């Protein structure tokens, strides 16, 4: 039986498909419990609760306000369309609810700053739903990228390449919220490029690039929403690094990440969602050279396996809940790490958008 005095009590605002995954993650996380779910109609919320096997103790509401008014809810998960994030995240923070919001965090940095101002002034925790950051594989690779002068370091990073693509169905391209300008106006730039931009920033220790440039191969739908986008990110200090990202609703599924340093490289084919829930791998190569006559390589990549006890989404909920419990029970201050990561990602998303508007000219940050 769950001891609710020692766990963080969640409410979910909305019944989007991703909410099913996070509800399961809340159930799996040892320090979290689901207490409430709401939709714009109680019938839809009841159907959602029944379809997902929620226990009878989960309170079902017909409006989001009722979750925010519930004194038995510590934190809310917000899987609503991006255009609604600022309204409901600000309202949640005003009711002293901690905020876990689905990515992209907002439509632009101005909206995100309104959210972050609200959570800061109310002393609550904020985090966006970039689940892959919480997988132990991510920490393992970060050690390889960020430990200078180490035998296990790939050296200064010179090139990063990432993709996030999916072959959307005709139904998706016609009616999904991610192609509707009034709901998720960023399209593939928000839904998919958030990961690739985030991965590039993560590999560079969240140093912002000096310039961001969209390439002219982008595709928009008839409503102007981005369906496919390619962009360059450039850093010049402490060493020049170029990152390329390609994100599309029009290509076969890919989630590639390659990080190339002066002494080695790391390659993943599933960096956003691992092929398996219980373990993940990556290819690590050090000291690669061509053999005589260039008919082969002197080394093969080492396949490194990382085991995880919980799925990455449950690890995300666990970390968020740990921070919330520290604030609630121990008087700790909210962590600034996660809001800062979201804001830097949002700034680069905005820069890609601005570059598109300028005819694919470089935008300085």
């Amino acid at each position: 039986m769950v001891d609710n005095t020692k766990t963080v009590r969640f409410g979910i605002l909305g019944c989007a498909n991703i909410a099913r995954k996070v509800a399961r993650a809340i159930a799996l996380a040892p320090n979290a419990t689901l207490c409430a779910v709401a939709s714009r109609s109680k019938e839809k919320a009841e159907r959602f609760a029944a379809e997902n096997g929620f226990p009878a103790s989960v309170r079902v509401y017909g409006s989001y306000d009722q979750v925010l008014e519930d004194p038995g809810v510590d934190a809310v998960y917000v899987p609503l369309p991006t255009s609604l994030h600022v309204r409901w995240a600000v309202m949640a923070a005003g009711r002293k609810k901690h905020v876990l919001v689905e990515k992209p965090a907002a439509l632009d940095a101005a909206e995100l700053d309104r959210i972050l101002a609200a959570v800061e002034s109310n002393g609550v925790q904020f985090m966006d739903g970039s689940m892959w950051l919480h997988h132990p594989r991510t920490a393992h690779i970060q050690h390889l990228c960020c430990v200078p002068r180490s035998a296990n370091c790939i050296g200064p990073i010179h090139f990063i390449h990432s993709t996030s693509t999916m072959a959307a169905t005709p139904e998706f391209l016609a009616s999904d919220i991610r192609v509707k300008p009034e709901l998720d106006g960023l399209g593939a730039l928000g839904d998919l490029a958030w990961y690739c931009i985030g991965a590039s920033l993560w590999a560079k220790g969240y140093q912002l690039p000096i310039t961001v440039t969209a390439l002219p191969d982008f595709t928009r739908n008839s409503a102007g929403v981005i369906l496919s986008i390619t962009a360059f990110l450039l850093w010049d200090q402490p060493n020049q690094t170029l990152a390329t990202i390609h994100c599309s609703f029009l290509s076969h599924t890919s989630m590639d990440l390659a990080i190339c340093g002066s002494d080695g490289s790391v390659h993943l084919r599933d960096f956003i969602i691992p092929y398996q829930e219980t373990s993940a791998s990556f290819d690590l190569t050090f000291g690669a050279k061509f053999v005589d006559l260039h008919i082969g390589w002197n080394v093969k990549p080492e396949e490194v396996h990382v085991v995880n006890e919980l799925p990455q989404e449950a690890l995300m909920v666990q970390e968020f809940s740990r921070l919330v419990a520290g604030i609630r029970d121990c008087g700790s201050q909210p962590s600034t790490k996660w809001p800062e990561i979201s804001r830097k990602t949002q700034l680069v998303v905005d820069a890609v958008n601005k570059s598109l508007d300028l005819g694919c000219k470089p935008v300085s940050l």
Side-chain angles (χ1 to χ4, degrees):
M1 186 174 181
V2 174
D3 182 355
N4 284 346
T5 65
K6 295 183 179 180
T7 61
V8 169
R9 302 164 297 179
F10 276 83
I12 297 178
L13 305 185
C15 301
N17 193 49
I18 188 66
R20 297 173 55 237
K21 184 175 184 177
V22 175
R24 175 176 177 262
I26 293 169
L28 290 172
N31 57 347
T33 187
L34 181 61
C35 289
V37 62
S39 183
R40 288 172 295 176
S41 74
K42 189 171 183 180
E43 292 75 19
K44 184 176 180 180
E46 288 173 340
R47 186 165 61 250
F48 182 78
E51 289 173 349
N52 290 279
F54 293 167
S57 59
V58 174
R59 296 178 288 282
V60 177
Y61 295 122
S63 75
Y64 306 143
D65 294 279
Q66 289 177 289
V67 175
L68 302 186
E69 293 167 0
D70 189 333
V73 170
D74 301 308
V76 293
Y77 169 58
V78 184
L80 299 171
T82 310
S83 60
L84 299 178
H85 285 184
V86 63
R87 175 186 176 186
W88 290 103
V90 168
M91 287 181 64
R95 304 289 178 85
K96 306 297 183 183
K97 309 297 186 188
H98 304 270
V99 179
L100 175 61
V101 65
E102 195 45 60
K103 38 65 49 188
L107 290 174
D108 55 40
E111 284 197 358
L112 181 56
D113 283 346
R114 288 178 58 194
I115 295 173
L116 298 185
V119 298
E120 182 177 2
S121 64
N122 286 283
V124 296
Q125 186 63 53
F126 173 90
M127 182 184 287
D128 80 55
S130 298
M131 302 172 185
W132 73 276
L133 286 170
H134 302 269
H135 197 288
R137 175 177 64 176
T138 305
H140 194 118
I141 296 171
Q142 189 171 37
H143 181 76
L144 293 169
C145 296
C146 299
V147 183
R149 306 299 180 190
S150 167
N152 293 322
C153 178
I154 65 173
I157 295 170
H158 295 286
F159 179 66
I160 305 163
H161 173 69
S162 60
T163 69
S164 179
T165 62
M166 56 180 278
T169 64
E171 292 77 17
F172 177 102
L173 294 173
S175 59
D176 193 90
I177 65 169
R178 287 166 284 185
V179 300
K180 299 291 186 181
E182 71 277 12
L183 297 176
D184 269 294
L186 293 173
L189 177 57
D191 185 48
L192 303 179
W194 186 270
Y195 294 118
C196 294
I197 290 169
S200 300
L201 291 171
W202 163 80
K204 290 292 292 181
Y206 290 102
Q207 176 189 359
L208 285 172
I210 58 168
T211 60
V212 173
T213 309
L215 271 65
D217 70 334
F218 64 91
T219 302
R220 296 183 188 268
N221 66 9
S222 58
V225 176
I226 297 167
L227 302 181
S228 182
I229 180 72
T230 306
F232 290 159
L233 284 58
L234 180 66
W235 293 259
D236 67 350
Q237 297 292 337
N239 56 277
Q240 190 172 84
T241 306
L242 176 69
T244 64
I245 68 168
H246 176 69
C247 303
S248 177
F249 292 143
L250 308 175
S251 301
H252 185 262
T253 301
S254 71
M255 296 179 176
D256 298 339
L257 177 61
I259 305 169
C260 300
S262 58
D263 302 319
S265 61
V266 171
H267 290 79
L268 299 80
R269 297 286 180 263
D270 60 346
F271 88 92
I272 301 168
I273 301 174
Y275 292 132
Q276 301 178 64
E277 263 200 336
T278 55
S279 68
S281 65
F282 62 93
D283 286 346
L284 176 63
T285 307
F286 282 116
K289 298 178 181 179
F290 300 130
V291 298
D292 190 31
L293 301 181
H294 288 199
I295 58 174
W297 292 46
N298 64 327
V299 295
K300 290 183 178 180
E302 174 192 0
E303 187 174 8
V304 181
H305 293 267
V306 181
V307 175
N308 52 296
E309 294 183 1
L310 290 172
Q312 60 182 11
E313 58 270 20
L315 292 170
M316 175 186 72
V317 170
Q318 184 179 36
E319 173 61 11
F320 180 76
S321 298
R322 183 188 69 81
L323 294 170
V324 170
I327 298 165
R328 183 191 65 186
D329 303 333
C330 306
S332 301
Q333 293 299 307
S335 169
T336 59
K337 170 185 174 180
W338 300 106
E340 288 173 359
I341 287 174
S342 299
R343 190 172 191 277
K344 287 183 175 181
T345 307
Q346 191 82 56
L347 286 172
V348 178
V349 168
D350 287 7
V352 176
N353 238 343
K354 184 176 180 180
S355 179
L356 284 175
D357 291 342
L358 294 174
C360 298
K361 293 180 179 179
V363 171
S364 298
L365 287 174

